[in-house]
Amino acid sequence: MATYAVFLPLKDEEKSKEHRPAHLDYLERLHETGHVLARGPFVDGSGGLIIYESPSYDAVEKLVNEDPYVVHGARDYVIHEWALVGHLRTT
């Protein structure tokens, strides 16, 4: 399995507000099945970041394209394979 960082830059604020509940439900289901490791919005409102675990770029892109934000044109996306080295906690 590989790790992917997926940026979801804001494309349409109204559509983003409208489809947020479905987006969050979708990500929760993916988290429960082990596909989403972490997720969250940027505090400046410009979009968000999701960390996926997936066997391939194509597989993660398929998941991203099924996200209600992407389906309804609320967000764009940029996918980068990410070399997760470890988890550091400062507290």
Side-chain angles (χ1 to χ4, degrees), residues 33-47:
T33 60
H35 293 291
V36 170
L37 302 179
R39 63 202 188 269
F42 298 127
V43 296
D44 66 1
S46 64

Side-chain angles (χ1 to χ4, degrees), residues 10-67:
L10 183 64
K11 185 175 174 181
D12 184 309
E13 188 171 355
E14 288 306 312
K15 286 182 182 179
S16 189
K17 288 178 185 176
E18 178 183 351
H19 297 288
R20 187 171 194 270
H23 163 76
L24 295 176
D25 288 346
Y26 179 70
L27 292 183
E28 184 58 33
R29 288 193 308 273
L30 291 180
H31 175 74
E32 290 170 359
T33 60
H35 293 291
V36 170
L37 302 179
R39 63 202 188 269
F42 298 127
V43 296
D44 66 1
S46 64
L49 173 69
I50 305 167
I51 305 298
Y52 285 88
E53 191 167 73
S54 181
S56 69
Y57 181 96
D58 290 340
V60 78
E61 187 172 41
K62 182 180 184 309
L63 293 174
V64 171
N65 277 306
E66 293 172 356
D67 185 322

